[in-house]
Amino acid sequence: MKTGGTLTIDFQHRQSAHCESGVTANLLSHHGVGIDEPLAFGIGSGLFFSYMPFIRLYDAPLTSFRYLPGSIFKQTAHLLGVRMRVEKFRDREKAMDALDRALDLGQPVGVQVGVYWLPFFPEAYRFHFNAHNMVVYGRENGEYLI
């Protein structure tokens, strides 16, 4: 990651109820597609229910109310005819280099991150799974602006 200096993209953040549909709506709005978070949630088929008694989490059957992470963004973009670029990384340095290149072009970036290290996640729900979405809109003193 680049260190020092400040780079801030003029990005209008709007509070949302869900991370992925919020990121989707915020990024699309940034690029002139004026939708709000509930519409992104609906278009992206955000509501879903599954009950899997054969998979146990903390001794309880796994219950889900949504599709896999990334599906709301992909479905919304597809139905609106919006082209997007998705990259996956195993190497931390390559990921940060790609993020820095996009930021240097003035592009806010939607990222999907693991929930384990997020301090605001309840400890009982922390496990290594890339399930949280955020927008990176700049850098300041060696830190990313989220």
Side-chain angles (χ1 to χ4, degrees):
M1 182 175 89
K2 297 182 180 194
T3 57
T6 298
L7 167 69
T8 304
I9 297 167
D10 185 20
F11 178 77
Q12 179 66 41
H13 174 265
R14 295 176 298 167
Q15 186 68 34
S16 60
H18 303 279
C19 65
E20 186 176 347
S21 50
V23 164
T24 300
N26 280 325
L27 287 174
L28 288 172
S29 292
H30 180 79
H31 289 287
V33 180
I35 68 170
D36 61 12
E37 190 250 346
L39 183 57
F41 187 81
I43 291 172
S45 302
L47 191 56
F48 173 80
F49 177 76
S50 68
Y51 175 75
M52 296 173 265
F54 50 90
I55 300 175
R56 313 235 8 125
L57 183 63
Y58 300 108
D59 230 10
L62 182 63
T63 304
S64 176
F65 297 97
R66 57 160 299 170
Y67 285 111
L68 292 174
S71 61
I72 293 173
F73 187 76
K74 290 176 191 171
Q75 177 73 359
T76 303
H78 172 74
L79 290 174
L80 293 175
V82 173
R83 288 181 44 211
M84 63 173 179
R85 181 179 179 163
V86 176
E87 295 185 60
K88 295 181 181 183
F89 299 92
R90 289 188 179 273
D91 182 275
R92 175 186 166 124
E93 293 302 317
K94 288 180 183 177
M96 291 168 61
D97 286 344
L99 177 57
D100 284 329
R101 283 193 304 276
L103 293 172
D104 289 341
L105 293 172
Q107 179 69 45
V109 179
V111 295
Q112 192 175 69
V113 300
V115 299
Y116 187 81
W117 299 108
L118 297 175
F120 53 86
F121 248 61
E123 204 165 309
Y125 294 113
R126 290 186 191 179
F127 58 101
H128 294 289
F129 181 61
N130 289 338
H132 188 57
N133 297 268
M134 299 185 272
V135 175
V136 180
Y137 67 94
R139 293 183 302 265
E140 186 175 272
N141 299 322
E143 300 281 330
Y144 288 113
L145 301 174
I146 308 290

